[in-house]
Amino acid sequence: MTSTARRTLVVAVSLFTLGSASVGAQATPLSSWNDGPTKRAIMTFVRTTTDRSSSQYVAPDERIATFDNDGTLWVEQPIYTQAVFALDRVGALAEEHPEWKSAEPFKSVLARDEAAVAKFSEADWEKIIAATHSGMTVEAFNDIVADWLAKATDKRFKRHYTELVYQPMLELLAYLRENGYKTYIVTGGGQDFVRAFAPRVYGVPPEQVVGSAGKTKFTYGPGGKGELLKSPDLLYVDDKTGKPEGIHLVIGRRPRAAFGNSDGDKQMLQWTQAGGGPRLMLLVHHDDAQREYAYGADSKVGTFSDALMTDATRGGWLVVSMKNDWRRIFPFDP
Amino acid sequence: MTSTARRTLVVAVSLFTLGSASVGAQATPLSSWNDGPTKRAIMTFVRTTTDRSSSQYVAPDERIATFDNDGTLWVEQPIYTQAVFALDRVGALAEEHPEWKSAEPFKSVLARDEAAVAKFSEADWEKIIAATHSGMTVEAFNDIVADWLAKATDKRFKRHYTELVYQPMLELLAYLRENGYKTYIVTGGGQDFVRAFAPRVYGVPPEQVVGSAGKTKFTYGPGGKGELLKSPDLLYVDDKTGKPEGIHLVIGRRPRAAFGNSDGDKQMLQWTQAGGGPRLMLLVHHDDAQREYAYGADSKVGTFSDALMTDATRGGWLVVSMKNDWRRIFPFDP
């Protein structure tokens, strides 16, 4: 080996180590968080609940942390990414469904009538989700989502949706895991939709994704092989009261820490706090129109109502100001 | 320290090490299994799927093993333990329900009419389960089950039900975990019922118990604190086709190994096998009337039909003969 080759190798190894450090053990935890009361409160919670000599010590088995997804881990504006996916799927499936040309809500989607889509009711969206999220095996659906995410991009940022994740929250996920916390996603979005990218993007395995779920149907496919088909029927909605209910169903333990950003997360945080002892409740407040979005009670998605802010103040929940608490928003930010 | 004291300490440390070995790393894995093709096939599967140089290697993340509970991990005869619990609860709650004295199926239970109970329909049992498994918080239910299990005993063996677990299967659970497999229980029984003892008895945490589940309802209890009440409404039945469906819902991955003992486990094993590559499917056959029970197509619970035996032969599934494959049945056996 020449001395240049050896030097190159040393540099490569160093870079590799640095590279691993950002996903694994962080030399400086939460480095994209500005110093301040929010960051300090998070670090104090983690330090005291993992220190055996502390009165706030929490046994490793009980270290459960639950994260909302839309607006807490990735961008949810101007509409939920899963809704964009569903609309694109209507287009992709239109040839197989000639009847959609004259049947709402599909007709408006195919006509790219954005004003009509913006006014879709819950029932309209349910029809669209049912039509685009069923009829295939669970593995085929996973592939469809993964393929779409690899191609589709957000209009404003010109980035893949999986790039529009919050760097400070990725660091928080990693920091909690380094300290023995099991990190779960608890989303009002589709469980199978989020499972298609959570392992790669968040380091969260499929069994730690709790979400709204359709029924599946076990049947025998080609060659008599057992398979699971996604059904258009809904099993449960993992939002609002459905969040603590979904947590009990899938996890069976009360979280020690819960993270959200909207009225849909209120009950998850309340249930977490009601467990008593050391608990961390945190809401992300979108107040940075320049780097991301600013919205509150007026928002169509991820509403952060004035009542929720009152609940947060009363409960002593942490409220993250994206503008002030986060040095970077996205992994691609300088 | 005197030399006697030192010797005592050395002996104590050795005993401690041996003691740990039976729950943690087993010096001799599967020691309650007789040598033979079944034990060898299990060990070959585990060795090849965890050997990086093997073509059968399975990444740690994908090492999911699912176990039925009734008849696979513990005794299910003469009736399911959860049914005994439910009948006892009818007695305990009778004072609060004077109407039960004249309303079936409760009337027969309170009259200790065993012949009538033996003839209960599915609908009768649903009424009994709904009446005894709802109306309290999830934590209160957990305590009720734990208290009952600490007191109730089986008539034939004069043992607590949690002692009537199969020693060879406890060793199999531990052996799989030592080799990086995540062990799940996938039961037709109640998810919350099994969670009340699975951590202590099987070393399986609540989040790794998949079972039939009632709905829960988030509400505000004393002091306005968030709590989850168990509802009498069923969310889903985790039996037969419900097993692969429940596995997808809670785990979101196809198991690499699945263990059952009855027709209710067939679809779980079929779905496991259909994933291709190295997979282990095993059925426990109860053929030991002397040490436990012998039953098959004629059984009221845990039926092992002739058709299931045909499926097992065709699929190349392992069938454990309790009589021949297991040196010990229970932890208390000599």
Side-chain angles (χ1 to χ4, degrees):
Chain A
M1 194 188 284
T2 66
S3 113
T4 313
R6 194 178 295 124
R7 208 178 309 136
T8 309
L9 184 69
V10 169
V11 171
V13 167
S14 306
L15 285 173
F16 178 76
T17 311
L18 281 171
S20 310
S22 70
V23 254
Q26 301 171 92
T28 313
L30 309 185
S31 60
S32 299
W33 293 68
N34 289 319
D35 283 326
T38 310
K39 180 175 177 173
R40 279 198 297 272
I42 294 170
M43 295 186 76
T44 301
F45 171 82
V46 172
R47 203 167 45 239
T48 55
T49 57
T50 55
D51 173 2
R52 282 188 171 275
S53 70
S54 164
S55 63
Q56 308 290 292
Y57 179 71
V58 172
D61 270 8
E62 292 291 333
R63 293 182 201 158
I64 304 284
T66 55
F67 289 79
D68 168 59
N69 183 43
D70 294 302
T72 299
L73 295 179
W74 77 353
V75 172
E76 63 181 346
Q77 295 285 353
I79 66 169
Y80 297 121
T81 302
Q82 192 177 359
V84 184
F85 165 76
L87 296 176
D88 278 4
R89 290 302 299 163
V90 170
L93 295 166
E95 224 170 294
E96 298 169 33
H97 294 275
E99 75 280 11
W100 285 355
K101 273 182 209 151
S102 51
E104 292 292 3
F106 306 100
K107 189 181 162 186
S108 294
V109 178
L110 295 174
R112 298 177 184 275
D113 183 344
E114 289 188 16
V117 171
K119 283 180 200 154
F120 276 173
S121 65
E122 278 287 307
D124 290 328
W125 280 112
E126 275 172 25
K127 275 181 205 165
I128 290 169
I129 295 289
T132 56
H133 287 60
S134 71
M136 69 292 279
T137 65
V138 293
E139 290 86 2
F141 180 76
N142 192 82
D143 292 345
I144 291 166
V145 176
D147 287 350
W148 182 83
L149 286 170
K151 288 172 198 152
T153 51
D154 172 82
K155 280 183 192 165
R156 172 175 164 191
F157 295 99
K158 319 266 187 264
R159 295 273 180 171
H160 292 302
Y161 293 100
T162 50
E163 292 178 273
L164 299 183
V165 293
Y166 307 130
Q167 176 65 24
M169 296 305 281
L170 296 182
E171 292 168 7
L172 181 54
L173 282 164
Y175 176 56
L176 285 166
R177 287 196 290 258
E178 284 158 25
N179 284 281
Y181 277 86
K182 210 162 166 180
T183 53
Y184 280 84
I185 293 171
V186 177
T187 174
Q191 184 165 283
D192 285 345
F193 182 80
V194 176
R195 278 172 172 169
F197 63 91
R200 178 174 62 85
V201 176
Y202 302 134
V204 173
E207 63 268 31
Q208 286 165 226
V209 176
V210 185
S212 297
K215 293 183 183 176
T216 57
K217 192 175 160 50
F218 178 83
T219 182
Y220 299 99
K225 284 191 177 177
E227 61 181 34
L228 282 175
L229 292 181
K230 284 180 71 69
S231 145
D233 302 329
L234 199 62
L235 184 65
Y236 70 89
V237 176
D238 190 66
D239 199 29
K240 299 193 171 73
T241 57
K243 289 209 174 190
E245 293 162 8
I247 289 169
H248 180 70
L249 180 69
V250 177
I251 313 178
R253 299 185 198 255
R254 205 188 287 246
R256 281 284 164 179
F259 305 88
N261 80 303
S262 80
D263 288 30
D265 302 311
K266 184 177 81 168
Q267 291 85 351
M268 174 168 76
L269 270 64
Q270 287 176 327
W271 194 59
T272 298
Q273 184 161 35
R279 309 269 169 181
L280 181 70
M281 286 67 58
L282 180 149
L283 291 170
V284 174
H285 191 217
H286 294 258
D287 59 358
D288 193 335
Q290 205 183 334
R291 294 189 298 171
E292 202 242 9
Y293 292 95
Y295 52 99
D298 58 326
S299 177
K300 278 183 191 163
V301 297
T303 300
F304 194 130
S305 68
D306 299 338
L308 182 64
M309 192 60 94
T310 305
D311 286 331
T313 308
R314 273 196 202 139
W317 303 348
L318 298 179
V319 177
V320 167
S321 159
M322 289 177 71
K323 198 171 179 173
N324 300 318
D325 286 318
W326 289 359
R327 196 169 62 73
R328 286 199 295 172
I329 304 284
F330 301 116
F332 54 80
D333 281 340
Chain B
M1 197 189 280
T2 67
S3 113
T4 312
R6 194 178 295 124
R7 207 179 308 135
T8 309
L9 184 69
V10 169
V11 172
V13 167
S14 307
L15 284 173
F16 178 77
T17 312
L18 280 172
S20 311
S22 69
V23 254
Q26 301 170 91
T28 313
L30 310 184
S31 60
S32 299
W33 292 69
N34 289 320
D35 283 326
T38 311
K39 180 175 179 174
R40 279 198 296 272
I42 294 170
M43 295 186 77
T44 300
F45 172 82
V46 172
R47 203 168 44 239
T48 55
T49 56
T50 56
D51 173 2
R52 281 187 171 277
S53 70
S54 165
S55 63
Q56 308 289 293
Y57 179 71
V58 172
D61 270 7
E62 292 292 334
R63 294 183 202 156
I64 303 285
T66 55
F67 289 79
D68 168 60
N69 182 44
D70 294 301
T72 299
L73 295 179
W74 77 354
V75 172
E76 63 182 346
Q77 296 284 354
I79 66 168
Y80 296 121
T81 302
Q82 192 177 358
V84 183
F85 165 76
L87 296 177
D88 279 4
R89 290 301 298 162
V90 170
L93 295 166
E95 223 170 294
E96 299 169 32
H97 294 275
E99 75 280 10
W100 286 356
K101 272 182 208 152
S102 51
E104 290 294 359
F106 306 99
K107 188 181 162 185
S108 293
V109 178
L110 295 174
R112 298 177 183 275
D113 183 344
E114 289 188 18
V117 171
K119 283 180 200 152
F120 276 173
S121 65
E122 278 288 306
D124 290 328
W125 280 111
E126 275 172 26
K127 276 182 204 165
I128 289 169
I129 295 289
T132 56
H133 287 60
S134 71
M136 70 293 280
T137 65
V138 293
E139 290 85 2
F141 181 75
N142 192 82
D143 292 345
I144 291 167
V145 177
D147 286 350
W148 181 82
L149 286 170
K151 287 171 198 154
T153 50
D154 172 82
K155 280 185 192 164
R156 172 174 165 193
F157 295 99
K158 320 267 186 258
R159 295 273 180 172
H160 293 302
Y161 293 100
T162 50
E163 293 178 274
L164 299 182
V165 294
Y166 307 130
Q167 177 64 25
M169 296 305 280
L170 297 182
E171 291 168 6
L172 181 53
L173 282 165
Y175 177 56
L176 286 166
R177 288 195 291 258
E178 284 158 26
N179 284 282
Y181 276 86
K182 211 163 166 180
T183 53
Y184 280 84
I185 293 170
V186 177
T187 175
Q191 185 166 281
D192 285 346
F193 182 81
V194 176
R195 278 172 171 170
F197 62 92
R200 178 173 61 86
V201 175
Y202 302 134
V204 173
E207 62 268 31
Q208 286 166 225
V209 176
V210 185
S212 296
K215 292 183 182 175
T216 57
K217 193 176 159 51
F218 177 82
T219 184
Y220 300 100
K225 285 192 177 176
E227 61 180 36
L228 282 176
L229 292 181
K230 285 180 70 70
S231 145
D233 302 329
L234 199 63
L235 183 65
Y236 69 88
V237 176
D238 190 66
D239 198 29
K240 299 191 171 74
T241 57
K243 289 209 173 190
E245 293 161 8
I247 289 169
H248 180 71
L249 180 69
V250 177
I251 312 178
R253 300 185 197 254
R254 205 188 286 247
R256 281 285 164 179
F259 306 89
N261 79 302
S262 80
D263 289 29
D265 301 311
K266 183 177 81 168
Q267 290 86 350
M268 174 168 77
L269 270 64
Q270 288 176 326
W271 194 58
T272 298
Q273 184 160 36
R279 309 269 169 181
L280 181 69
M281 285 67 58
L282 180 149
L283 291 170
V284 174
H285 191 218
H286 294 257
D287 59 357
D288 193 334
Q290 203 181 338
R291 293 189 299 170
E292 201 243 11
Y293 292 95
Y295 54 98
D298 59 326
S299 177
K300 278 182 192 164
V301 296
T303 299
F304 194 131
S305 68
D306 299 338
L308 182 65
M309 192 60 93
T310 305
D311 286 330
T313 307
R314 274 195 202 141
W317 303 347
L318 298 179
V319 177
V320 167
S321 159
M322 288 177 72
K323 197 169 178 175
N324 300 319
D325 286 318
W326 288 359
R327 195 170 62 74
R328 287 200 295 173
I329 304 284
F330 301 115
F332 55 79
D333 281 341

